[in-house]
Amino acid sequence: MVTNGTGGHRVPGTRIGPVVIAGSFVSVFGANLAIAAIDRGWDGTSVSIGVALAAWLARACTMGVLISDRGITLRSWFRTRTYTFDRVRGYDAARYSGILNGFGVSLDPFFPRLRMLTLRVGERWKEFPSTICSRPTAKRLRDEIGGRLRADDVARE
């Protein structure tokens, strides 16, 4: 169990999706970059691209859903958001809809396997594609969040 410094922990499996996605892209682009660097040598552009790829993979390793006594922290590609439990009115692990499938849900090859966290904050539902995860991890997410929220305050929808 990984703690987040506030008495909470990362839900197991919630960073696997981002690491696999970033790792796949970094492997392909990194290999092409290395081949080009061997052929032409390392220049400023090659070094910059290499640093950006390493930073992307490093960020993926810090992503995920962290749960503490206060609320839910979602670490995505570009920012980190925390929602206190008193603001969360609903939650679910909906089918994934993000950049990998063109934000679509029809004829989606990812539908049978991949999920993402959705939260109802106030009266508005918010989707978090950066929480891409497997169905077993989605079940863990629902169980963790449901265990922290009182049944009379929040409904899983």
Side-chain angles (χ1 to χ4, degrees), residues 110-130:
F110 299 113
F111 170 68
R113 303 265 187 263
L114 300 179
R115 299 288 185 260
M116 68 179 178
L117 181 65
T118 59
L119 296 175
R120 191 175 75 189
V121 180
E123 296 303 316
R124 188 168 165 233
W125 280 97
K126 296 182 180 221
E127 295 181 339
F128 301 97
S130 62

Side-chain angles (χ1 to χ4, degrees), residues 47 51 57 68 85 91 101 109 115 118 120 123 125 150:
V47 171
V51 168
L57 187 58
S68 69
F85 286 123
Y91 65 99
N101 66 351
R115 299 288 185 260
T118 59
R120 191 175 75 189
E123 296 303 316
W125 280 97
R150 293 193 314 253

Side-chain angles (χ1 to χ4, degrees), residues 4-79:
N4 66 6
T6 61
H9 68 280
R10 181 184 326 271
V11 177
T14 57
R15 76 170 144 197
I16 292 173
V19 168
V20 167
I21 292 166
S24 298
F25 280 94
V26 167
S27 296
V28 170
F29 291 118
N32 286 330
L33 179 65
I35 291 168
I38 289 169
D39 186 39
R40 293 188 299 259
W42 287 96
D43 60 358
T45 303
S46 298
V47 171
S48 298
I49 292 171
V51 168
L53 290 173
W56 186 22
L57 187 58
R59 178 59 180 176
C61 292
T62 67
M63 291 174 63
V65 179
L66 298 105
I67 305 219
S68 69
D69 293 335
R70 286 189 19 205
I72 303 166
T73 300
L74 302 158
R75 290 188 180 156
S76 67
W77 294 109
F78 300 109
R79 62 182 174 177

Side-chain angles (χ1 to χ4, degrees), residues 90-113:
Y91 65 99
D92 198 5
R95 60 182 162 179
Y96 174 77
S97 174
I99 199 162
L100 292 179
N101 66 351
F103 297 93
V105 291
S106 62
L107 300 173
D108 181 9
F110 299 113
F111 170 68
R113 303 265 187 263

